[in-house]
């Protein structure tokens, strides 16, 4: 059975190099798999309807906590959540399972619900012939990953909603994504497909069962990541990763590849780390330029919300102009880190401002009062209070008439220039709208404007005959007025589910911003979120993480009847967050918890035979294939993050076992790192760290003393990706003092805070001034 790689683009922005897993005979079997035409990219569509009428139907999903499942609680479909009740019923009645996977801010999930799942006749067909299960992919990434791999292998691509038909023992036999509600131009609609599959199950049951077994066997065989006997890759991986990114780089507008364009912070992480390793070389400068230019163009584009802050999911065009309007927590967390690093490197206030912009949005709109972070805001909302149909982007766009009406005052100090004149020029406002038909095929954005900055502030000032300061102040006033006006509009749906892994990404965002921007406010917000996770998403008795928790109607934190245990990404992202948090607040309790969680992650997910981490622990019979994530996409793979976590912890705690694990992990992915490192840029970062000599920077001093703070601020003013920063406060009973034998030997010079810069804990002569420390950090 041959295996080859297909480059595909899925709905969450993942550029996947997906193995074609199944035998040709299965993929080509007549009538079995859905047409690939249903996987065509769609950028805009109409959303679902809302009414004030009491629901006519209620199914089992009404008892769930997931916002996505609750959205389907009043469908005429007899939905089940993923669980034993549904599986037992499918076996007892010998019916196929129809599995529908999506998430609450998924635009095309809304469309399919409105068109099909709210349709009574369609519901009757589903209820008669199938056991229907609805899954929130954000709650159950293990279920989503297993069956999405099947879809990608058979279709060459995938997305959400994901639709899969399973045998009663959960083996996939038919799959696709979105299905239209009616037959059209010879292509079957969803009811026709349901009827055909039901008939096939009735007439060819043994064949489908046999085929399902073959599919699972193929998935097991071809998704296995095993030791190959090869060594850890050398510099060729970073060279090839750079080359692959450089070849796809858009010199004019930034980003990599053509439309649609996704942020993909893992690419920036790699470019910044390669730059840091060879800052004086032409290649190093090119890395910095590609990253900074892309971040600047993103900040100027419509993917950036210029009024309510934060970033939308992706751009439908090359110019970062017309976005898919949903906002995801995982984007905000990663981009906050990226922009903070961009500021550390460039010292350009633009990147500091955008970092603050992201964190303002998250603090205001995605923060629970108890300290956690919500998951997402939807792309769709009602255009006004009387509208009966949601539209994508309606919360965010403006007509030129609106702008002229709302910004009718004169600019301060001018008798002839109105605020609207400045705003229209600077943000590319057009009377007929600035969105082309190509990016609005359904006409939802007709005459509307998506804000984008195409020129410089000086250009706007010159056209309006104003000075730079006056122009800047006028634009700030305009944004405040429009923000107030926007709050009067019907708001998009908020997914108030809180996910451990994404909270980890956001904790890193606040912690890294606290370091780079010297902000105690940001650091303390990260501390508060970490305390929230430990209280509500961690079982102290077992030492295990939970996947999620939920905001109750009364503002309290609630949990489902059977909480979902954490997956490997929950551990990996949170461990990284705790390491970042320690380096921001120097509370050893976070470092100690990170070490405990790493040990638990090793226990639950490590493959003792083949190395690396499975996505799920052993023992869940409903997950037929235990996989290892080998792709960095919208989120980095847990194996990539874990490789760096292991290396950092090994150096923090002088733990050779974790160093060995990191090297084993890098070795098992060696072939992928050599051939297509662009699939794993985050893991290439870990590989570069492993090949460097980590720099231990130990500040010996009183945590609250001013001279200690000055030395720590000095360290954080530099981007040093291979650093291990430790505050040694002299407490012989502390976790670090008991772990690292070198710490008790370090003294303060002249009773002042003192910096030790070490490699392999062999230290250079200590220094106790900022100037001397800067010299050590810049001249290794």
């Amino acid at each position: 059975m041959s295996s080859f790689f297909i480059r595909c683009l899925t709905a969450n922005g993942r550029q996947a190099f997906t193995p074609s897993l199944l035998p040709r005979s299965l993929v080509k079997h007549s009538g079995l798999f859905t047409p690939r035409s249903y996987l065509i990219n769609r950028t805009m569509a109409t959303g679902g309807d809302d009414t004030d009428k009491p629901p006519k139907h209620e199914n089992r999903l009404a008892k769930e906590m997931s916002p996505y499942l609750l959205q389907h609680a009043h469908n005429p479909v007899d939905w089940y959540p993923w669980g034993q009740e549904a599986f037992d019923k499918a076996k007892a009645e010998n019916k196929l399972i129809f599995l529908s996977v999506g998430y609450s801010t998924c635009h095309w999930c809304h469309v399919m619900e409105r068109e099909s799942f709210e349709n009574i006749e369609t519901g009757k067909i589903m209820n008669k012939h199938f056991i229907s299960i609805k899954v929130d992919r954000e709650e159950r990434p293990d279920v989503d990953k297993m069956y999405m791999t099947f879809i990608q292998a058979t279709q060459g691509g995938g997305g959400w909603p994901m639709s899969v038909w399973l045998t009663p023992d959960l083996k996939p036999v038919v799959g696709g994504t979105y299905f239209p509600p009616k037959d059209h131009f010879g292509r079957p609609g969803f009811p026709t497909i349901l009827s055909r599959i039901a008939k096939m199950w009735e007439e060819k049951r043994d064949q489908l069962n046999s085929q399902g077994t073959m599919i699972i066997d193929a998935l097991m065989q071809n998704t296995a990541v095993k030791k190959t006997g090869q060594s850890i890759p050398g510099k060729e991986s970073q060279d090839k990763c750079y080359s692959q990114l450089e070849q796809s780089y858009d010199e004019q507008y930034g980003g990599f590849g053509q439309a649609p364009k996704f942020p993909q912070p893992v690419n920036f992480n790699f470019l910044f780390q390669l730059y840091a390793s060879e800052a004086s070389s032409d290649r190093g400068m090119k890395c910095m330029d590609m990253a900074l230019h892309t971040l600047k163009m993103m900040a100027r584009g419509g993917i950036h919300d210029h009024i309510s802050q934060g970033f939308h999911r992706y751009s439908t065009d090359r110019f970062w102009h017309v976005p898919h309007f949903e906002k995801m927590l995982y984007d905000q967390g990663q981009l906050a880190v990226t922009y903070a690093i961009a500021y550390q490197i460039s010292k350009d206030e633009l990147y500091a401002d955008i970092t603050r912009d992201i964190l303002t949005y998250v603090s205001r709109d995605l923060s629970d009062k108890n300290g956690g972070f919500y998951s997402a805001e939807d792309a769709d909302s009602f255009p006004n209070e009387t509208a009966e149909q949601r539209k994508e982007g309606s919360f965010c766009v403006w007509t030129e008439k609106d702008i002229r009406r709302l910004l009718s005052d004169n600019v301060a100090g001018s008798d002839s220039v109105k605020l609207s004149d400045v705003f229209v020029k600077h943000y590319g406002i057009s009377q007929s709208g600035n969105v082309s038909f190509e990016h609005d095929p359904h006409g939802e954005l007709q005459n509307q404007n998506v804000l984008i900055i195409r020129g410089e502030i000086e250009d706007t000032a010159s056209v309006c005959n104003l000075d730079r300061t006056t122009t800047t102040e006028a634009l700030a006033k305009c944004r405040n007025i429009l923000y107030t006006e926007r709050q009067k509009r019907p708001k998009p749906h908020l997914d108030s589910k809180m996910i451990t892994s994404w909270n980890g990404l956001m904790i890193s965002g606040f912690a890294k911003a606290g370091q780079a921007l010297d902000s105690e406010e940001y650091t303390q917000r990260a501390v508060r979120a970490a305390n929230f996770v430990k209280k509500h998403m961690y079982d102290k008795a077992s030492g295990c993480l939970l996947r999620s928790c939920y905001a109750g109607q009364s503002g309290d934190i609630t949990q489902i009847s059977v909480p979902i245990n954490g997956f490997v990404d929950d551990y990996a992202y949170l461990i990284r967050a705790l390491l970042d948090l320690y380096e921001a607040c120097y509370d050893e309790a976070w470092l100690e918890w990170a070490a405990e969680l790493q040990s638990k992650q090793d226990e639950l997910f490590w493959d003792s035979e083949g190395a690396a981490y499975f996505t799920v622990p052993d023992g869940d019979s409903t997950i037929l294939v235990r996989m290892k994530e080998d792709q960095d996409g919208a989120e980095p793979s847990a194996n990539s993050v874990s490789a760096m976590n292991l290396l950092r912890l090994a150096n923090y705690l002088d733990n050779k076992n974790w160093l060995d694990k990191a090297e084993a992990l890098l070795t098992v992915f060696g072939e992928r790192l050599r051939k297509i490192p662009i699939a794993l840029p985050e893991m290439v970062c870990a590989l570069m760290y492993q090949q460097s000599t980590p720099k231990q920077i130990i500040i010996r001093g009183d945590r609250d003393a001013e001279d200690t703070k000055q030395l720590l601020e000095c360290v954080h003013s530099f981007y040093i990706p291979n650093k291990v920063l430790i505050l040694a406060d002299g407490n012989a009973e502390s976790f670090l003092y008991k772990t690292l034998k070198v710490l008790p030997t370090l003294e303060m010079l002249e009773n002042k805070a003192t910096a030790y810069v070490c490699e392999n804990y062999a230290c250079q002569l200590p220094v106790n001034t900022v100037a001397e420390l800067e010299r050590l950090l810049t001249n290794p």
Side-chain angles (χ1 to χ4, degrees):
M1 187 183 301
S2 63
S3 176
F4 59 94
F5 290 96
I6 302 170
R7 191 170 190 268
C8 62
L9 188 67
T10 62
N12 73 338
R14 173 166 305 200
Q15 292 183 345
F17 293 80
T18 307
S20 179
L21 302 171
L22 305 181
R24 279 186 175 275
S25 60
L26 291 187
V27 176
K28 289 193 171 183
H29 188 275
S30 176
L32 185 59
F33 294 106
T34 59
R36 282 192 61 187
S37 59
Y38 294 133
L39 296 175
I40 295 173
N41 277 334
R42 300 170 175 84
T43 56
M44 297 281 179
T46 301
D49 297 337
D50 273 20
T51 70
D52 294 326
K53 299 178 181 178
K56 295 180 180 179
H57 309 277
E58 183 170 289
N59 55 54
R60 291 165 183 80
L61 301 186
K63 299 178 181 179
E64 296 298 308
M65 297 299 301
S66 158
Y68 177 62
L69 300 188
L70 290 172
Q71 286 173 353
H72 295 78
H74 300 292
N75 296 163
V77 179
D78 189 13
W79 290 115
Y80 287 76
W82 181 266
Q84 199 60 48
E85 182 185 6
F87 309 150
D88 290 344
K89 188 172 179 63
K91 289 181 178 179
E93 299 184 8
N94 203 8
K95 288 182 178 179
L96 284 177
I97 291 170
F98 172 66
L99 174 66
S100 177
V101 182
Y103 53 105
S104 76
T105 59
C106 165
H107 178 69
W108 280 90
C109 300
H110 300 332
V111 175
M112 192 164 177
E113 180 192 15
R114 175 175 57 83
E115 294 176 341
S116 295
F117 302 146
E118 291 182 354
N119 184 283
I120 293 176
E121 294 306 313
T122 300
K124 288 179 180 178
I125 298 173
M126 296 174 69
N127 296 340
K128 179 179 179 180
H129 296 291
F130 306 100
I131 303 302
S132 298
I133 297 178
K134 179 63 74 171
V135 166
D136 182 340
R137 68 175 297 265
E138 296 167 355
E139 277 191 328
R140 294 302 304 253
D142 54 338
V143 176
D144 177 67
K145 172 66 177 176
M146 180 170 63
Y147 294 113
M148 183 58 74
T149 302
F150 161 70
I151 295 295
Q152 290 175 332
T154 55
Q155 301 290 346
W160 296 274
M162 176 171 64
S163 306
V164 191
W165 284 263
L166 316 176
T167 64
D169 54 1
L170 306 180
K171 295 173 182 176
V173 291
V174 186
T177 55
Y178 163 83
F179 294 98
K182 298 179 181 179
D183 299 352
H184 191 62
F185 293 124
R187 293 192 177 100
F190 188 54
T192 300
I193 290 172
L194 288 169
S195 297
R196 288 181 181 177
I197 293 173
K199 184 177 181 181
M200 190 181 303
W201 178 245
E202 182 179 341
E203 297 176 352
K204 301 179 180 180
R205 189 165 303 180
D206 291 344
Q207 182 179 340
L208 289 182
N209 274 317
S210 176
Q211 214 145 251
T213 299
M214 292 176 64
I215 288 168
I216 288 297
D217 290 345
L219 290 174
M220 286 181 174
Q221 179 177 337
N222 289 279
T223 59
V225 179
K226 302 177 181 178
K227 292 179 180 177
T228 61
Q230 296 183 340
S231 60
I232 297 176
K235 288 190 63 177
E236 68 270 17
S237 292
Q238 68 189 55
D239 294 342
K240 191 164 188 176
C241 191
Y242 167 80
S243 176
Q244 290 174 330
L245 282 173
E246 195 270 337
Q247 289 170 13
S248 65
Y249 177 62
D250 184 339
E251 294 278 356
Q252 185 173 3
Y253 296 103
F256 304 93
Q258 298 300 311
K261 283 184 175 176
F262 296 84
Q264 291 193 289
V266 292
N267 290 337
F268 302 124
N269 294 346
F270 166 75
L271 291 170
F272 284 144
Q273 190 161 333
L274 186 57
Y275 159 76
S277 70
E278 46 182 87
S280 60
S281 72
D282 290 342
R283 187 171 75 166
M285 293 303 297
K286 179 68 173 179
C287 286
M288 182 181 70
D289 290 344
M290 286 193 293
L292 294 181
H293 180 60
T294 299
L295 291 170
K296 180 179 180 181
M297 297 306 291
M298 285 169 52
R300 293 161 66 101
I303 192 175
H304 173 215
D305 189 339
H306 296 273
I307 302 302
S308 294
Q309 298 82 41
F311 279 82
H312 300 295
R313 180 72 277 273
Y314 64 86
S315 172
T316 64
D317 55 62
R318 178 190 175 196
F319 319 108
W320 303 106
H321 180 203
V322 182
H324 175 46
F325 287 91
E326 70 178 319
K327 290 180 178 177
M328 306 301 296
L329 181 66
Y330 60 73
D331 283 324
Q332 316 309 319
Q334 292 178 90
L335 287 172
V337 171
T338 297
Y339 277 98
I341 293 173
Y343 172 70
Q344 278 183 315
I345 290 173
S346 68
K347 299 299 185 286
D348 186 334
E349 282 295 326
L350 165 69
Y351 303 108
D353 288 343
I354 299 300
T355 306
R356 297 185 188 100
D357 171 291
I358 295 168
L359 301 183
T360 295
Y361 164 68
V362 173
S363 297
R364 184 189 65 229
D365 294 343
L366 293 183
S367 286
D368 184 85
K369 68 177 184 179
N370 297 285
F373 299 112
Y374 300 141
S375 294
E377 277 192 313
D378 207 339
D380 299 354
S381 61
F382 293 109
N384 52 62
E385 295 291 349
T386 61
E388 296 183 353
Q389 191 167 286
R390 290 187 179 96
K391 292 185 178 181
E392 178 163 1
S394 58
F395 187 68
C396 301
V397 295
W398 306 89
T399 65
E400 194 249 6
K401 184 178 179 180
D402 288 336
I403 297 299
R404 295 292 183 189
R405 174 177 58 85
L406 294 165
L407 306 178
S408 58
D409 290 348
N410 287 338
V411 173
S414 174
D415 295 328
S416 58
V417 181
K418 294 184 179 298
L419 290 171
S420 60
D421 297 329
V422 180
F423 196 85
V424 164
K425 164 60 182 172
H426 194 67
Y427 287 104
I429 304 297
S430 169
Q431 185 174 5
S432 58
N434 66 4
V435 179
S436 67
F437 172 79
E438 176 187 1
H439 300 112
D440 182 29
H442 298 276
E444 291 186 304
L445 300 180
Q446 189 172 2
N447 298 323
Q448 299 285 349
N449 291 273
V450 177
L451 306 185
I452 183 172
I453 302 171
R454 296 194 185 275
E456 302 299 330
I457 192 80
E458 290 80 8
D459 300 328
T460 302
S462 176
V463 168
C464 297
N465 197 27
L466 301 170
D467 60 55
R468 191 183 195 282
T469 299
T470 301
T471 302
T472 300
E473 292 174 352
L475 289 170
K477 183 175 181 179
C478 291
R479 291 192 296 269
N480 288 335
I481 292 171
L482 294 181
Y483 174 79
T484 300
E485 181 67 19
R486 185 188 276 187
Q487 299 313 298
K488 301 174 185 177
R489 297 175 173 179
K491 292 186 178 181
H493 160 73
L494 173 68
D495 189 323
S496 58
K497 175 175 73 267
M498 287 165 274
I499 298 172
T500 298
S501 61
W502 295 0
N503 271 255
L505 292 174
M506 201 66 243
I507 291 168
S508 285
F510 275 98
K512 286 289 191 180
Q515 297 170 34
L517 304 183
D518 189 25
S519 169
E520 183 63 19
E521 176 187 353
Y522 293 155
T523 298
Q524 288 307 309
R525 182 64 185 92
V527 169
R528 186 164 176 247
N531 279 319
F532 174 88
V533 171
K534 194 165 190 179
K535 179 178 180 180
H536 295 287
M537 305 164 90
Y538 173 66
D539 180 10
K540 187 175 181 180
S542 66
C544 294
L545 293 172
L546 301 177
R547 172 64 177 176
S548 54
C549 64
Y550 308 84
Q553 292 184 351
S554 61
D556 57 336
I557 301 301
T558 61
Q559 188 54 265
I560 55 179
S561 57
V562 182
I564 301 168
N565 289 323
F567 301 102
V568 69
D569 58 327
D570 296 305
Y571 286 82
Y573 295 0
L574 182 58
I575 290 166
R576 178 168 69 176
L578 296 175
L579 296 178
D580 294 338
L581 182 55
Y582 170 74
E583 291 191 346
C585 71
Y586 320 108
D587 183 343
E588 293 182 14
W590 302 122
L591 187 58
E592 188 171 5
W593 192 30
E596 292 170 0
L597 288 176
Q598 187 62 63
S599 295
K600 181 59 68 172
Q601 179 183 330
D602 296 345
E603 174 190 331
L604 294 175
F605 302 98
W606 181 258
D607 181 357
S608 58
E609 296 181 0
Y613 294 99
F614 290 111
T615 57
V616 297
D618 196 10
D620 186 347
S621 61
T622 68
I623 303 301
L624 305 183
V625 183
R626 287 182 84 199
M627 297 182 179
K628 297 174 184 175
E629 185 64 66
D630 61 354
Q631 171 79 30
D632 293 331
E635 303 166 59
S637 84
N639 275 301
S640 294
V641 175
S642 294
M644 184 69 85
N645 289 346
L646 290 166
L647 291 166
R648 291 175 73 183
L649 280 166
N651 281 281
Y652 261 118
L653 306 178
D654 197 20
N655 187 313
K656 188 176 184 304
N657 177 54
W658 280 331
L659 180 61
D660 292 343
K661 266 190 165 58
E663 293 177 349
L665 192 156
L666 294 170
T667 300
V668 83
F669 287 101
E671 182 178 5
R672 196 162 178 78
L673 288 168
R674 290 183 179 91
K675 291 182 177 179
I676 45 173
I678 196 173
L680 286 167
E682 190 81 16
M683 193 175 290
V684 178
C685 290
L687 181 63
M688 294 166 63
Y689 186 108
Q690 187 269 340
Q691 293 169 348
S692 70
T693 303
K695 189 186 297 290
Q696 292 103 12
I697 304 170
I698 305 171
I699 307 300
R700 174 68 177 90
D702 183 345
R703 181 186 306 185
D704 298 322
E706 190 61 33
D707 55 354
T708 301
K709 293 179 180 178
Q710 290 174 356
L711 293 179
L712 291 168
E713 288 173 18
C714 174
V715 175
H716 288 313
S717 69
F718 294 94
Y719 173 58
I720 310 171
N722 65 335
K723 77 174 186 298
V724 174
L725 177 61
I726 294 173
L727 175 63
D729 61 3
N731 180 5
E733 299 303 313
S734 69
F735 172 65
L736 280 175
Y737 267 78
K738 290 182 176 180
T739 304
L740 296 176
K741 296 179 181 179
V742 68
L743 293 189
T745 69
L746 305 181
E747 300 292 340
M748 297 170 62
L749 296 181
E750 302 173 354
N751 206 32
K752 298 178 181 178
T754 303
Y756 293 81
V757 179
C758 318
E759 293 181 356
N760 296 322
Y761 290 102
C763 303
Q764 301 182 52
L765 291 175
V767 298
N768 57 12
T769 68
V770 169
E772 290 175 306
L773 179 56
E774 285 182 347
R775 176 181 57 79
L776 289 181
L777 297 178
T778 54
N779 299 291

